[in-house]
Amino acid sequence: MIADPVSPIRFRNTATRAPAGVLAAALAGLLLISDTAWANGAAPLPSTGDCRGFDFIERFGFEEENADGWPTLVLRAGAPAYAAETGKAIARSVDFSTGALVTKTDGSRGTAATDRVAVYFPDESTDRYWMNRADLLCARTPLLDAKTHLERKAFIRTRTAERKEGVVQAITAHVSPDLADAAEANGDDSRKLSRFANYLIYGETDDAYLLADRFTLDHRSRLVGWVEKEHVINWNWAIGLRPRHDIAPAADGSTGRICAYDDKTALGNKAECLPILGGRAWFKSSLRLPVLDVDDETYRVAVSVSGLGNAEVIDGKLRLDKAMLETLEVDPAKTPGINEDAIRSLNKIDVFFLIDGTRSMQPYIDAIRGDEFRPGIIQTILATLGDRAPGVSFRAGFRVFRDSKAGGGTGIGEGYPLRDVDCDADTEAGLARERERFSRRLRTVSVTTDDTDDFAENLLGGLDQAATDMAGCPDRQKLLFVISDAGYDPEAQAARGHVAHSVERVYARLARLEKLTAFFVRTPPLPAERVRNQSAYLESWNNYGAYAMTLLSALAAREPAKPGEPPVDPRAYFFDLGAAGAENIMIDRISQSVRSVSVPAIVEDVLIDLRGGAALEAIITRLRNENADVPMLFWKMLRRTACPQGGESCSKRIYEGVYEVFIPREEDIVLEAWLRAEQLTNWRDVLRPIVDATSYSLPQQRRALSQAVRNTLQTVLKMPTPESLDEDIGTFMQRAGYLPGPFRTPLMRYTFEELQQPRLIPQCELDRLRDWLAASSGMLRKVASNLLTRIEKTDPARPCDGLSAKGRKIPILKKPLEDFPPGPDDKTYRLSSGEASGLGEKVYWVPHDYLP
């Protein structure tokens, strides 16, 4: 069944670029400067989506001030932050996309560009500044389209010439709404977008759109940038298109395909065909071809031509030779992918402590535990992470090691391993459970008081065990902190009948943890009066340092430094504690080390740039220069995670030529609705009581069905009572933003009045509609379980006198309905895209024919 369009979709862009203004240079620190530096066009450029007219009073509980603050993001580079609510004294300038919390307003809605609100920057301090409303983004969800009432979505239009000329150029995402970035004038390579990625529109000026890549923003989010309107394809419906998965193979036996055409006048001319390959590969992709327009003959869609990465780049443009142009095709199997889930897993952190359990370690174990007067290590780490914590999933474990005994134990003692459970725990409840479990187990640890040992402990045996203890949930970052003052004696271990571990063996075990960063903490040497043999003790103390540096050097050398990249200094991961306040210093060094690699903002920047087509190496270079406190091993870990096979996608920008083409409606295609998980659930919840209502007796059934439709729209979708019962249900739902496209499915064609009037709709037609709604409910339920339904139509079992034109369009399905998976495995072939949608939410591609 192909649903009928009620009206064509028309999107046109006639905007031209505004003249470039002059931005002020960025200012650092808190020095007060004159506002004369902001002259010559640097006044705020208001946009739809900014904080002008935003009612903070309502959000603050009808107060003018709220200590928690309302989350916003700065809309332009160099935005002034003033020292006071009025006056010209500027305290500092603020970077684009900086997170801010609004804490005070003057009590009005402030519609002028220069009206101010009080803010602070939670990633820096609680110092208060005043900023212009027009410089802050108050929209936390995308702007809505005036016609479709859906979120406004955008694709980058990287086509800058006709396809036959083969020239594609990256598009600049600017950091100011006037599109005149000071950084560009200084030769900086601003964020470039050259990939077929889906963005959301959060702001708009006459000439530009503000793009983000998340459905919900807060002050920790990252904006993509301002893009000229002429470089943006608006996709304000939510309907995509793909060839059928079971499309017939080509004559040569290759994958079946459909044809798209640059020009409608070329329809049917196979010499002008741009092949779009079918098959199940579409179920491995998070994209479909967005439908931009529809008429009686064609769908106008946006396509990304794959395979452009091998062409020659000249003056920032990608030029394809004639041979490549002749073989261009749209094939989702060849589109370079980004493993977003793997990269995002860098926000999931396991901290593991390998602790020497001998008597000299008692103060340090106590410091890790904490007590009623001093917070323990977990509380300290979370407090250090501060505002980052909600974006970080955090677990902790430990293992205690001591020395082995002849004929006895290996010395590997109490522990709390990190298993393959709660791999994605990031809720406050999950964090609290982890804290409690860790603390409860740590309280059971007691130190040994055996003074007859030789000072060396089973350090390498402990490390060997730690490699096993940390192996659960391997995608997570692993931070290992070894805390001791004692070395290792392999001969003594062998003499006692235990395994004499080698550094090589232990390194091989630790190196299996792809995302491992190890730190060795050496406590200060005990004074002579506390040990019976000071020279033997110091020998062991130094031996610990030697083993630590050997292992750290090996781990640092796992991946050689790239040209121009500083090598990893293993000494940066060895903490030698001083005698004064050693326990507190240890806690501080550990918590700061965790903070240095808990960087959700960096992860978001990496994903935005990769999604835009940037080369990973260029991204790492830029972010490394901007984040000097992040250790070098983190960047190496990022490289291994994002590009496990290396290749050109790591070192070269990915360009994708984006074209608008026409696909004949008679081609073997499937229309699909792009639904967030919440929207799919809503459709299922709407259908359930409607289907249940059809179980009433015939006199009651008609009234119950009509009433159930209205009630569920109000209770599930929170929609108002329809103003007119003569309005068709689809128009009513479209006005509220619940229809994904311009096509009407069976229920959407009827009016509320028709469902309850026998003179308008005969009972036999209502029965057909009832059967269809039950089938729709079942198919949507299967989609949520990653199953498709094979739709086979049949003729009606009996005639229906008085059947309306709408009733004739209700499909009659052959039963029982047959389900089938989208591919041979559930992990690779999916109807939902999860984080791979690039929008922070689970998104489903649902065949439009399944909708009610």
Side-chain angles (χ1 to χ4, degrees):
M1 180 191 71
I2 296 292
D4 54 313
V6 293
S7 62
I9 319 169
R10 307 290 180 194
F11 297 120
R12 291 190 177 90
N13 257 319
T14 57
T16 57
R17 180 169 178 167
V22 178
L23 285 178
L27 299 171
L30 301 179
L31 298 177
L32 298 182
I33 59 173
S34 166
D35 67 337
T36 56
W38 302 91
N40 302 321
L45 182 62
S47 73
T48 303
D50 64 28
C51 290
R52 291 171 304 141
F54 187 80
D55 191 354
F56 288 104
I57 294 292
E58 181 179 345
R59 272 74 177 184
F60 288 170
F62 299 96
E63 300 288 340
E64 293 185 12
E65 193 164 359
N66 185 288
D68 293 334
W70 180 262
T72 63
L73 293 162
V74 176
L75 288 177
R76 68 183 178 105
Y82 295 89
E85 183 176 2
T86 59
K88 300 180 178 181
I90 298 173
R92 58 176 294 183
S93 67
V94 189
D95 291 338
F96 171 73
S97 196
T98 298
L101 292 173
V102 175
T103 59
K104 191 177 188 309
T105 176
D106 63 4
S108 71
R109 290 198 174 188
T111 56
T114 54
D115 288 337
R116 299 178 189 173
V117 291
V119 305
Y120 75 93
F121 306 108
D123 283 344
E124 302 174 17
S125 69
T126 57
D127 295 338
R128 178 183 283 188
Y129 304 90
W130 292 83
M131 293 192 69
N132 296 315
R133 284 175 175 257
D135 285 336
L136 298 172
L137 176 70
C138 271
R140 299 185 68 180
T141 55
L143 302 181
L144 298 181
D145 181 73
K147 293 182 179 179
T148 69
H149 304 282
L150 294 170
E151 300 97 342
R152 297 179 63 183
K153 300 174 287 294
F155 288 90
I156 297 301
R157 190 196 308 269
T158 55
R159 171 178 151 178
T160 59
E162 293 300 317
R163 181 157 64 95
K164 61 187 177 185
E165 295 181 25
V167 177
V168 180
Q169 186 171 11
I171 304 304
T172 298
H174 298 266
V175 293
S176 289
D178 61 3
L179 308 177
D181 298 349
E184 285 194 323
N186 296 329
D188 288 353
D189 183 16
S190 300
R191 177 166 284 164
K192 302 289 186 181
L193 309 177
S194 57
R195 193 168 185 152
F196 194 59
N198 192 357
Y199 298 102
L200 297 162
I201 297 176
Y202 272 82
E204 180 179 8
T205 67
D206 289 342
D207 305 307
Y209 294 122
L210 175 65
L211 304 183
D213 67 347
R214 286 289 178 273
F215 268 108
T216 305
L217 300 182
D218 60 24
H219 62 284
R220 294 179 295 267
S221 303
R222 311 293 285 182
L223 298 171
V224 174
W226 293 91
V227 177
E228 293 181 61
K229 285 185 173 179
E230 66 181 34
H231 295 318
V232 169
I233 297 173
N234 282 272
W235 182 44
N236 296 336
W237 287 108
I239 294 292
L241 177 153
R242 63 170 170 84
R244 290 180 57 87
H245 72 279
D246 55 356
I247 193 169
D252 61 0
S254 60
T255 303
R257 60 200 63 199
I258 62 174
C259 279
Y261 302 88
D262 270 350
D263 195 310
K264 288 182 68 173
T265 61
L267 295 181
N269 182 354
K270 296 303 181 182
E272 297 295 325
C273 169
L274 173 64
I276 300 175
L277 273 59
R280 294 180 183 265
W282 286 96
F283 299 126
K284 299 166 75 172
S285 170
S286 63
L287 291 177
R288 301 293 187 265
L289 308 181
V291 175
L292 309 176
D293 200 347
V294 61
D295 58 29
D296 292 339
E297 293 183 289
T298 63
Y299 300 102
R300 180 166 64 88
V301 302
V303 302
S304 167
V305 179
S306 61
L308 299 189
N310 297 321
E312 185 180 10
V313 178
I314 302 175
D315 296 330
K317 297 181 181 180
L318 190 78
R319 185 169 295 278
L320 286 71
D321 60 30
K322 183 178 179 181
M324 290 187 69
L325 286 169
E326 291 175 349
T327 59
L328 285 182
E329 61 186 14
V330 179
D331 181 1
K334 292 183 179 177
T335 302
I338 302 170
N339 190 342
E340 297 206 2
D341 288 337
I343 297 171
R344 216 174 281 283
S345 69
L346 291 172
N347 286 335
K348 302 170 185 177
I349 297 174
D350 285 348
V351 176
F352 194 85
F353 301 95
L354 180 61
I355 309 169
D356 183 338
T358 53
R359 182 171 53 181
S360 62
M361 293 294 109
Q362 184 71 65
Y364 305 98
I365 294 174
D366 290 341
I368 292 172
R369 285 181 181 138
D371 54 36
E372 57 183 315
F373 304 107
R374 177 173 60 180
I377 187 66
I378 303 300
Q379 292 85 349
T380 304
I381 287 173
L382 291 176
T384 303
L385 291 177
D387 199 54
R388 295 183 189 180
V392 173
S393 170
F394 178 80
R395 306 190 308 174
F398 73 90
R399 178 65 64 182
V400 173
F401 71 96
R402 303 177 181 90
D403 207 356
S404 62
K405 294 184 182 298
T410 62
I412 308 304
E414 309 93 316
Y416 180 44
L418 295 167
R419 307 293 190 188
D420 268 318
V421 294
D422 293 330
C423 291
D424 299 314
D426 57 1
T427 63
E428 180 53 41
L431 291 171
R433 285 195 302 271
E434 280 296 309
R435 284 198 297 270
E436 173 56 29
R437 282 195 289 260
F438 175 87
S439 299
R440 186 170 62 248
R441 294 297 296 273
L442 191 60
R443 283 195 293 269
T444 67
V445 174
S446 59
V447 299
T448 59
T449 57
D450 185 358
D451 291 331
T452 64
D453 66 34
D454 56 0
F455 297 111
E457 311 294 343
N458 194 3
L459 170 66
L460 295 190
L463 285 164
D464 187 75
Q465 179 62 43
T468 299
D469 289 339
M470 300 174 67
C473 307
D475 285 344
R476 299 173 66 90
Q477 267 205 78
K478 308 289 184 178
L479 304 185
L480 169 63
F481 292 91
V482 185
I483 305 169
S484 180
D485 64 349
Y488 181 73
D489 187 343
E491 288 79 11
Q493 298 296 324
R496 295 169 189 156
H498 298 291
V499 174
H501 293 283
S502 66
V503 171
E504 291 76 17
R505 169 191 163 89
V506 170
Y507 164 73
R509 296 266 288 132
L510 292 174
R512 294 176 190 172
L513 302 172
E514 279 293 313
K515 296 180 181 177
L516 172 69
T517 304
F519 300 84
F520 283 76
V521 180
R522 184 167 63 178
T523 59
L526 295 173
E529 62 270 16
R530 291 189 56 188
V531 292
R532 67 183 186 281
N533 186 334
Q534 177 74 352
S535 61
Y537 169 73
L538 289 178
E539 181 181 354
S540 179
W541 189 82
N542 287 318
N543 181 255
Y544 172 75
Y547 272 105
M549 292 306 299
T550 300
L551 280 166
L552 288 174
S553 298
L555 289 169
R558 273 196 292 179
E559 181 182 335
K562 298 289 183 180
E565 186 177 80
V568 175
D569 183 358
R571 292 172 298 181
Y573 302 86
F574 183 80
F575 302 156
D576 228 343
L577 304 180
E583 300 95 322
N584 293 332
I585 293 172
M586 177 190 71
I587 296 294
D588 182 65
R589 293 294 295 273
I590 290 173
S591 59
Q592 291 301 330
S593 296
V594 175
R595 179 181 173 87
S596 71
V597 295
S598 306
V599 282
I602 289 179
V603 172
E604 289 304 311
D605 271 343
V606 169
L607 289 171
I608 288 172
D609 284 355
L610 284 175
R611 212 173 289 135
L616 179 70
E617 294 300 340
I619 298 171
I620 289 177
T621 298
R622 176 177 69 83
L623 292 175
R624 186 164 50 80
N625 291 335
E626 295 174 1
N627 299 273
D629 60 329
V630 177
M632 194 64 223
L633 279 178
F634 175 86
W635 305 112
K636 289 178 174 287
M637 191 187 312
L638 170 60
R639 184 181 288 120
R640 288 197 303 272
T641 300
C643 290
Q645 277 79 45
E648 292 187 342
S649 61
C650 296
S651 59
K652 293 186 178 180
R653 172 177 289 280
I654 299 173
Y655 290 81
E656 294 181 356
V658 180
Y659 302 93
E660 293 178 37
V661 297
F662 297 91
I663 297 177
R665 291 187 65 162
E666 67 266 16
E667 291 279 5
D668 288 336
I669 60 95
V670 175
L671 294 176
E672 294 187 313
W674 186 78
L675 300 179
R676 286 178 284 133
E678 177 187 13
Q679 293 170 319
L680 177 59
T681 300
N682 283 342
W683 276 110
R684 293 167 58 199
D685 290 346
V686 163
L687 278 174
R688 189 178 299 113
I690 296 174
V691 172
D692 291 344
T694 62
S695 62
Y696 291 102
S697 62
L698 290 182
Q700 298 173 312
Q701 189 182 99
R702 189 180 299 274
R703 289 192 301 273
L705 178 63
S706 177
Q707 190 61 46
V709 172
R710 280 180 282 172
N711 287 348
T712 56
L713 293 182
Q714 289 175 271
T715 57
V716 176
L717 302 183
K718 312 301 181 186
M719 295 178 66
T721 302
E723 297 177 5
S724 170
L725 296 183
D726 288 330
E727 179 179 63
D728 71 66
I729 299 169
T731 300
F732 177 62
M733 292 188 69
Q734 178 181 322
R735 192 165 59 247
Y738 286 108
L739 280 197
F743 308 99
R744 292 291 190 264
T745 47
L747 179 63
M748 299 298 109
R749 299 186 186 110
Y750 287 95
T751 68
F752 296 98
E753 179 76 9
E754 287 171 331
L755 294 181
Q756 61 184 18
Q757 291 296 335
R759 62 183 176 80
L760 299 175
I761 300 296
Q763 184 62 41
C764 56
E765 182 172 335
L766 205 64
D767 289 343
R768 290 188 184 183
L769 179 61
R770 175 197 62 192
D771 289 345
W772 164 249
L773 294 178
S776 171
S777 178
M779 290 187 290
L780 294 181
R781 186 173 64 254
K782 293 296 184 180
V783 166
S785 300
N786 200 44
L787 289 171
L788 291 164
T789 302
R790 188 167 284 109
I791 294 180
E792 187 175 349
K793 298 179 185 177
T794 187
D795 295 327
R798 52 187 179 274
C800 180
D801 294 335
L803 187 68
S804 71
K806 297 174 181 178
R808 286 191 290 272
K809 293 181 179 180
I810 299 174
I812 299 174
L813 305 183
K814 187 175 181 180
K815 298 178 180 178
L817 298 179
E818 181 184 350
D819 305 321
F820 63 96
D825 66 82
D826 285 346
K827 290 188 176 180
T828 308
Y829 298 85
R830 302 287 301 170
L831 302 178
S832 61
S833 55
E835 289 289 357
S837 69
L839 298 168
E841 293 194 22
K842 195 171 189 176
V843 174
Y844 288 86
W845 284 106
V846 181
H848 193 268
D849 287 355
Y850 294 7
L851 297 180

